[in-house]
């Protein structure tokens, strides 16, 4: 669920949230509105409530879980920069797994596969998940000099993330649709509706 990431992209473009790029790393200094624990919980409750009133199925709960897991994963992944409330004040959470790229990759892939298993996703979706995690590798292992363009043109970072988010949606939509068609999964089942709406 990349709603939280989309908020970050919008807020960063608008200058409401900001990051700092140094030649060898990127520091997400200020992202309390899109990425606080409170924001994640609020969006998750909203998604759950909307799903319940519109769909009368588990789709809302699945999306809520997806949204909140973004915050949980980011706390594991980021250096300490996740606040509890949408404000600069307060403790900052983050276990900095991104400092250990190989472990980071394994944990993220394992998490995706567990979610896929729980939600009963299609085979095509699993292939998409693996492909997407592989595409992500160059971002996890920044080479010397690869950050320099971002230092000079900060707008590159939210743009790259935006492209990544949209690509993952297209991939999930395409693979989900194709497999639903191939395996004749009923559109009323959780996996069917979830793939379509992710
Ligand atoms: Zn995030």
């Amino acid at each position: 669920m990349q709603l939280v990431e989309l908020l970050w992209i919008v807020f960063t473009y608008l200058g409401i949230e900001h990051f700092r790029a140094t030649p060898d790393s990127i520091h997400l200094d200020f992202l309390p509105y899109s990425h606080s624990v409170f924001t994640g919980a609020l969006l998750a409750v909203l998604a759950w409530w909307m799903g319940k009133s519109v769909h009368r199925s588990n789709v809302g709960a699945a999306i809520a879980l997806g949204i909140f897991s973004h915050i949980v994963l980011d706390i594991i992944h980021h250096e300490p920069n996740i606040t509890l409330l949408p404000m600069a004040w307060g403790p900052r959470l983050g276990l900095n797994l991104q400092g250990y790229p190989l472990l980071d990759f394994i944990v993220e892939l394992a998490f995706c596969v567990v979610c896929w298993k729980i939600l009963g996703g299609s085979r095509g979706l699993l292939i998409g998940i693996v492909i997407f995690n592989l595409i992500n590798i160059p971002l996890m292992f920044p080479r010397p000099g690869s950050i320099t363009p971002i230092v000079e043109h900060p707008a590159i970072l939210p743009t790259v993330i935006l492209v990544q988010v949209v690509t993952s949606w297209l991939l999930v939509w395409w693979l989900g649709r194709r497999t639903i068609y191939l395996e004749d999964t009923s559109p009323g089942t959780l996996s069917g509706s979830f793939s379509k709406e992710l």
Side-chain angles (χ1 to χ4, degrees):
M1 257 331 124
Q2 287 148 319
L3 183 61
V4 169
E5 223 72 314
L6 281 183
L7 285 177
W8 177 80
I9 292 165
V10 172
F11 290 160
T12 303
Y13 274 133
L14 293 176
I16 297 170
E17 297 192 335
H18 48 85
F19 63 89
R20 188 165 42 94
T22 62
D24 51 289
S25 60
I26 288 165
H27 302 282
L28 303 167
D29 284 338
F30 192 72
L31 67 171
Y33 305 114
S34 64
H35 274 75
S36 73
V37 174
F38 177 83
T39 311
L42 183 70
L43 292 173
V45 168
L46 278 177
W48 173 77
W49 177 75
M50 279 168 67
K52 219 177 101 158
S53 50
V54 178
H55 273 285
R56 300 178 189 287
S57 71
N58 290 332
V59 176
I63 295 174
L65 201 70
I67 291 174
F68 198 72
S69 72
H70 182 105
I71 299 291
V72 173
L73 274 182
D74 275 0
I75 288 174
I76 296 171
H77 178 75
H78 286 196
E79 53 186 11
N81 56 19
I82 309 285
T83 53
L84 294 175
L85 297 169
M87 53 177 77
W89 172 87
R92 297 191 171 208
L93 312 176
L95 299 176
N96 195 28
L97 193 63
Q98 64 182 8
Y100 313 89
L102 184 63
L103 193 61
D104 195 14
F105 170 74
I106 293 167
V107 168
E108 224 152 275
L109 183 61
F111 177 82
C112 290
V113 171
V114 168
C115 285
W116 170 83
K117 190 88 189 148
I118 292 171
L119 294 169
S122 63
R123 204 158 6 109
L125 197 59
L126 180 65
I127 296 168
I129 287 170
V130 172
I131 292 174
F132 211 77
N133 275 278
L134 292 175
I135 293 173
N136 212 9
I137 288 182
L139 288 177
M140 290 180 151
F141 295 86
R143 288 174 305 283
S146 64
I147 296 174
T148 316
I150 298 173
V151 177
E152 283 157 17
H153 307 280
I156 290 175
L157 184 63
T159 309
V160 168
I161 305 291
L162 181 61
V163 169
Q164 204 188 19
V165 168
V166 172
T167 312
S168 73
W169 282 351
L170 289 175
L171 204 67
V172 166
W173 169 77
W174 184 70
L175 289 167
R177 213 172 78 117
R178 215 168 135 253
T179 332
I180 286 165
Y181 176 70
L182 288 175
E183 293 173 2
D184 194 31
T185 310
S186 152
T189 63
L190 181 59
S191 66
S193 339
F194 188 74
S195 322
K196 274 186 290 175
E197 285 165 40
L198 193 77

